[in-house]
Every structure is written in C-alpha cells, then in structure tokens.
Amino acid sequence: MDRELEEANCKFAWLKLACAEYELDSCATLLSELKVLLTKFPSMPPSFERTPNAVAELRLARAIYEFAVIFSIRVKDQDAFERNFFQLKVFYMDTRGILPPSPEEYRILGLNLMRLLAENRVAEFHTELELLPPRALDHPCIKYAVELEQSFMEGTYNRLTNGRQAVPHETYLYFMDLLAETIRDEIADCSGQAYDHLPVDDARKMLMFSSEQKLLEHISEIQHEWEVQNHSVLFHMAKVQPRVGIQAHQMIKRSLCYARELERVV
C-alpha cells in the first residue's frame, strides 16, 4: 500500500470516529482533506488508470463520497448533497466492471430521487429513474420513492404525509420533511385562489399542521397576504386581481365595432 492510500485510509477512520462523536466541524475538515487527497490517486475518474492499487483506491473513494452524501443530510445541506451525489454517481455508473456493487447504492439513489421530488423537479426525477436497471425498481428504497411520486402526481397528499411512518431508512426523514413543505406550498397556492376564507381549524387540517399555533406562525412568516379574523383565514389579498389596461379597452372597442359592421353586412 502506497503512502497516499494509507494516509487516506487513516483519515477516513478518523472521519467516521469524529462523526460518531458528533464533531461536525472536524468531520467537514477531514472530508475536505480527504477529497483533496483523492485527487492524487491515478485511478480516479475520468482516467481510471489500472494501477496495482486501483481497486483499493476506487473502493475507498466510493466509500468517502457515500459518507459525504449522508453527512450532507446530517448537516441539512441540500447543495452539498447534490454536489456529492453527482461525484459519487460516477463510481456507481463507471466502475461496474471494476468494483462489486456497493450495499449503499440503492439507498443513496433513492435519496436522490427523494431530493428531486422534495424540490418538485419531477422531470428530473423521471430522468434519473429511467437510468436505473429494472431490478432496482424492486428495491424498497427505490420503490418507496416511486410510490411517493405517484401519490404526489395524483394529489393524494394524505398518503404522502402518512408515508413518513414507513420510511425505508432514517436518512429519508430529512427529505420527507422537505417534501411536506413542498406539498404545503402547493396546497397554500391553490387555497388562496379557490377560497375566499376558511375556518382556522379547516385551514390547519388542509395545510397539515399539528396545531393552530403552527398555522398562525406559518401565516405570519410566509403567507403575508393572508389575514386571520374572527377565527377565519381570509385569502382575498392573495387572489390574482384582473387588470384591464388601455390596450385591452381598445381591443374590446374594436371587437364591438367589427361585430356591428358584420351585423350590417348580414
């Protein structure tokens, strides 16, 4: 084992220890150092040089990026999750003939599907799904994400919120919470246009809040155009007001003139 590989293995062991002790700052520092160290391995993508240590280097690099993906969930950093996932995805897609499959692969691929769903990026969700082999659809993590997407498209939001109780792994809870926020935003947008007002308790149930206080906090912090009066939520300020400009008046006037002229001709 050469010096760089031995150093990387030692640092990765320290990283896992720091994470177990919840030393998040140390984890972030060690993770950055490990990523720099990986650039010294000749077997790294895109070259994939077949060196004597290639398999060991690739296996270690894959494990480090898997750790980075899960760590980004732990610190609730969506941007870091996306960056780390796409770096890791290369190892899943391009090292199939070199490394055996990772036991974490489908869990992390499912997490990425959950991220896309939580961000309402449904087209990208289906693109990623198409890239998976057919056998992947039977894995509990992938199947869970697919079923959630179907419920999301059907508008059966109660199945989505109940799905929190059946997550295939605890790491999925982070994206389930984000998905709940996405659903709440969708319902809020529709409610503002569909209703003039709703009783506070009905609005609470519709927006899936556990208490009236949380609903009021949501209105105060996010829905600035809603008002609460006499135990009702008023949506009149959120409605799109029709605007008829000068150009519209001119078009109406011309259309009426054309109609009169046609009447004369007939």
Side-chain angles (χ1 to χ4, degrees):
M1 184 182 295
D2 61 17
R3 187 178 60 82
E4 285 85 5
L5 182 56
E6 186 175 357
E7 182 182 354
N9 274 305
C10 288
K11 283 197 174 184
F12 190 39
W14 297 339
L15 174 61
K16 288 187 282 189
L17 181 62
C19 186
E21 295 178 355
Y22 214 76
E23 297 176 1
L24 299 184
D25 290 338
S26 297
C27 286
T29 301
L30 286 166
L31 199 52
S32 297
E33 291 174 1
L34 276 166
K35 288 180 179 179
V36 172
L37 198 54
L38 290 180
T39 62
K40 299 179 181 179
F41 293 170
S43 61
M44 291 297 100
S47 59
F48 291 110
E49 289 184 24
R50 296 299 184 94
T51 62
N53 292 322
V55 172
E57 290 171 355
L58 289 169
R59 193 192 298 271
L60 176 62
R62 185 178 67 182
I64 289 169
Y65 281 113
E66 286 176 337
F67 185 96
V69 166
I70 302 304
F71 179 73
S72 64
I73 292 176
R74 193 165 187 177
V75 296
K76 299 182 178 181
D77 189 338
Q78 285 177 261
D79 293 334
F81 179 95
E82 185 169 8
R83 288 194 305 271
N84 289 317
F85 173 77
F86 281 113
Q87 288 175 301
L88 172 61
K89 189 178 175 183
V90 176
F91 292 90
Y92 287 159
M93 302 296 289
D94 298 338
T95 65
R96 294 192 187 279
I98 306 172
L99 297 179
S102 167
E104 297 293 327
E105 181 172 350
Y106 287 143
R107 175 165 74 106
I108 290 175
L109 291 173
L111 282 168
N112 183 57
L113 292 175
M114 290 291 296
R115 173 184 67 88
L116 295 172
L117 193 57
E119 294 175 0
N120 206 5
R121 294 160 64 178
V122 180
E124 292 174 62
F125 177 97
H126 285 283
T127 299
E128 290 295 319
L129 198 59
E130 288 293 324
L131 295 174
L132 299 179
R135 66 179 181 278
L137 301 178
D138 295 326
H139 192 278
C141 291
I142 305 299
K143 194 173 181 180
Y144 179 80
V146 170
E147 288 175 353
L148 282 181
E149 188 272 340
Q150 290 171 350
S151 298
F152 186 66
M153 291 296 98
E154 292 168 3
T156 51
Y157 297 142
N158 60 320
R159 276 161 54 189
L160 287 166
T161 52
N162 294 337
R164 196 178 192 281
Q165 312 303 320
V167 291
H169 193 274
E170 62 180 0
T171 49
Y172 280 62
L173 291 172
Y174 171 63
F175 288 117
M176 279 301 296
D177 291 340
L178 293 179
L179 180 58
E181 289 297 323
T182 299
I183 294 168
R184 190 172 287 125
D185 291 342
E186 290 283 323
I187 295 173
D189 288 343
C190 294
S191 300
Q193 300 305 316
Y195 300 100
D196 292 323
H197 58 84
L198 277 175
V200 168
D201 193 55
D202 288 351
R204 178 192 66 78
K205 292 175 183 176
M206 185 177 291
L207 293 172
M208 300 174 293
F209 284 110
S210 58
S211 67
E212 183 178 315
Q213 182 59 35
K214 289 188 177 181
L215 170 65
L216 297 177
E217 289 173 2
H218 175 78
I219 293 171
S220 174
E221 294 171 5
I222 299 174
Q223 303 296 345
H224 303 299
E225 295 180 332
W226 295 4
E227 294 179 357
V228 179
Q229 293 180 8
N230 301 322
H231 302 289
S232 291
V233 181
L234 309 181
F235 302 108
H236 62 281
M237 293 293 291
K239 291 189 178 296
V240 177
Q241 301 297 326
R243 296 181 180 179
V244 181
I246 296 173
Q247 188 176 5
H249 280 299
Q250 290 175 346
M251 292 297 294
I252 293 169
K253 187 176 180 181
R254 287 176 188 170
S255 297
L256 290 172
C257 287
Y258 293 150
R260 282 196 295 269
E261 291 297 325
L262 283 171
E263 264 187 1
R264 288 175 186 170
V265 170
V266 174

